[in-house]
Amino acid sequence: VRYRHATAAMAEIATTPFETNGVRYTPPPAPVAVLCIDGCADEYLDAALVRGHMPRLAAMLAGGGHRSMVRGALPSFTNVNNTCIVSGVPPSVTGICGNFFLDPESGEEVMTNSPRFRRCGTILNAAADAGRRVAFVTAKEKLRTVLGDGIVERGGIAFSSEKVDEAKRDTHGLDCADGVVGRGRPEIYSGDASIYVLEAGATLAQSGAADFLYLSTTDFIQHKYAPDEPEALEFYEGIDTQIGRLIDAGCVVAATADHGMNGKNTPGGKPNVIYVETLLEENFPDAGVRVICPITDPYVVHHGALGSYVVVHVTDRSRVGPMMEFLNSVEGITEVYDRDTACRRLELAGDRIGEICVLCGRDRVLGKTPADHDLSVLDGRLRSHGGRYEEMVPMLLSHPLRPEYAARAA
Ligand code: ZN
Ligand code: ZN
């Protein structure tokens, strides 16, 4: 494989192989930029490519780049899959099985927004230890806190484009962000929050400040717009421009998604919700049921805490069998697993899920009770993820696959 635009500065790029979580990596003698395009169902790429909104991606693919589909981890949520991407191992190993879970030690419902919930190291820190100049830029502060630990301490760059409390600046490594993009931080509920991340990455790659980049965007646009809507097409055009800048900076560019995105509405255009806790309370009144919606995060305007996967905690374990049988009979529920089976089939960590894990159909979401979800934040219709139908995601690479990967992908 030849790397275009090789310059003298790139001769300094460390190619020392490194290992993390049992996987050995041999980095190329070029900057590497990995993009997680949040919520990028493959349809978004198709819709933008056929209408000519992604000329750089089209040229990349015509010039020998790779495009395929890969399987993400379930549940198909942001923290779950961003953690898998930066660690190279499944949720059973990372321990991050949702954005939100019931901590069995404290009995509290908590957000997985701290590295203390993660049970493995990151490729980012391993690369930094091997001499790479690492930059992790994300639209979501929650991701920087879960996955960005150790980077600044190793001389790397880690920041989110999200506006956070200035008082926290010192501990957040935010100083690194100043001046990179040359404009103020964008609003979190915008497409620009994502473009800003990619702009920062391209600028860092161009200047040589970073040669190993993980750039993770937000799915605000995908939650709001279907692939062929003008706002989505314009957003992907913006992504394409930044992919072009990364390629022009000599980067090996890889892009994937943490999950897809589907419409979750009734034929009448209302959110198509199955309230699992309500159903179980009605049918098993004394069993001690607590449903957790692991999509829950600070960005409720995206999804109203409604995704296509929930876990059920049950105090009276003798009722688990009958409950599973009941859930399996509910129209729209497609998969019901007890804890052990979920660990085996979905590669989850037993102490981070419930007695029962439930998934639903492509056009549905699972909720707790009507009172727990504010549908008024949603603008009427709902697009979301979390289940089996958002599991498959695109994989893009600016170069051909190495033979050993090509053999695996065939
Ligand atoms: Zn996401
Ligand atoms: Zn989302």
Side-chain angles (χ1 to χ4, degrees):
V1 177
R2 284 184 309 115
Y3 298 97
R4 298 194 305 132
H5 306 290
T7 66
M10 283 173 199
E12 298 162 21
I13 292 174
T15 54
T16 315
F18 58 88
E19 194 177 307
T20 185
N21 302 320
V23 181
R24 190 175 161 83
Y25 299 91
T26 49
V32 173
V34 173
L35 280 57
C36 177
I37 306 173
D38 199 319
C40 183
D42 203 51
E43 293 90 330
Y44 285 97
L45 298 178
D46 275 341
L49 279 166
V50 297
R51 289 167 179 82
H53 288 278
M54 301 193 83
R56 297 303 306 263
L57 178 59
M60 182 185 110
L61 297 173
H66 170 82
R67 180 183 178 192
S68 62
M69 296 288 283
V70 292
R71 191 179 74 79
L74 284 169
S76 45
F77 293 131
T78 297
N79 289 19
V80 175
N81 276 292
N82 271 272
T83 308
C84 292
I85 293 167
V86 303
S87 65
V89 283
S92 52
V93 180
T94 70
I96 305 293
C97 297
N99 304 333
F100 194 79
F101 80 111
L102 181 68
D103 189 345
E105 279 166 34
S106 64
E108 303 269 306
E109 297 179 16
V110 288
M111 286 203 197
T112 52
N113 58 0
S114 155
R116 76 188 163 92
F117 297 117
R118 208 185 64 230
R119 293 170 170 160
C120 61
T122 66
I123 296 168
L124 304 175
N125 283 342
D129 288 340
R132 296 295 287 223
R133 290 184 285 267
V134 171
F136 170 34
V137 187
T138 169
K140 292 176 175 172
E141 179 63 8
K142 70 165 182 178
L143 279 182
R144 195 205 57 77
T145 57
V146 180
L147 300 172
D149 57 296
I151 296 172
V152 172
E153 291 85 335
R154 287 169 170 81
I157 296 164
F159 63 89
S160 75
S161 65
E162 193 170 347
K163 291 172 181 168
V164 293
D165 186 354
E166 286 292 309
K168 295 177 186 166
R169 179 172 278 266
D170 284 350
T171 55
H172 283 209
L174 289 175
D175 289 342
C176 310
D178 287 351
V180 172
V181 178
R183 60 189 172 96
R185 283 163 197 268
E187 294 302 322
I188 184 68
Y189 293 123
S190 71
D192 195 36
S194 294
I195 302 300
Y196 188 98
V197 166
L198 303 181
E199 269 185 60
T203 304
L204 291 168
Q206 271 170 351
S207 70
D211 58 38
F212 197 93
L213 301 101
Y214 183 57
L215 311 173
S216 187
T217 65
T218 163
D219 56 0
F220 170 77
I221 291 289
Q222 292 90 342
H223 273 291
K224 215 165 159 53
Y225 302 106
D228 56 356
E229 292 188 77
E231 292 86 350
L233 295 169
E234 186 194 346
F235 176 68
Y236 276 84
E237 197 168 308
I239 289 178
D240 190 71
T241 301
Q242 300 308 321
I243 288 176
R245 285 182 65 201
L246 287 163
I247 290 172
D248 292 343
C251 290
V252 175
V253 179
T256 187
D258 52 349
H259 50 77
M261 188 74 69
N262 282 305
K264 305 285 184 183
N265 304 292
T266 63
K270 293 259 158 50
N272 200 0
V273 191
I274 302 169
Y275 292 104
V276 176
E277 191 168 291
T278 303
L279 277 178
L280 290 175
E281 287 287 357
E282 278 166 15
N283 289 276
F284 302 86
D286 304 314
V289 171
R290 194 163 164 189
V291 167
I292 300 285
C293 302
I295 194 172
T296 307
D297 67 11
Y299 316 104
V300 286
V301 171
H302 288 182
H303 45 58
L306 291 163
S308 296
Y309 166 96
V310 295
V311 301
V312 186
H313 293 268
V314 187
T315 309
D316 181 356
R317 305 261 169 110
S318 73
R319 312 302 297 280
V320 168
M323 269 184 204
M324 289 179 61
E325 201 175 321
F326 166 76
L327 289 168
N328 265 312
S329 75
V330 174
E331 194 196 337
I333 287 179
T334 50
E335 294 171 69
V336 182
Y337 301 110
D338 62 40
R339 191 193 299 269
D340 289 349
T341 309
C343 290
R344 214 168 50 245
R345 294 208 188 145
L346 309 182
E347 297 181 281
L348 295 172
D351 58 340
R352 296 283 169 86
I353 57 176
E355 272 67 45
I356 309 173
C357 296
V358 188
L359 296 106
C360 64
R362 186 183 196 271
D363 59 347
R364 297 193 191 250
V365 284
L366 302 172
K368 197 171 160 79
T369 76
D372 285 299
H373 301 276
D374 180 5
L375 301 187
S376 72
V377 300
L378 294 175
D379 261 3
R381 67 184 187 159
L382 173 63
R383 298 176 57 75
S384 194
H385 53 91
R388 184 68 77 183
Y389 298 86
E390 295 83 33
E391 172 195 42
M392 297 300 292
V393 289
M395 173 66 78
L396 302 165
L397 188 64
S398 57
H399 292 66
L401 292 182
R402 289 178 180 176
E404 63 267 35
Y405 284 93
R408 275 196 248 166

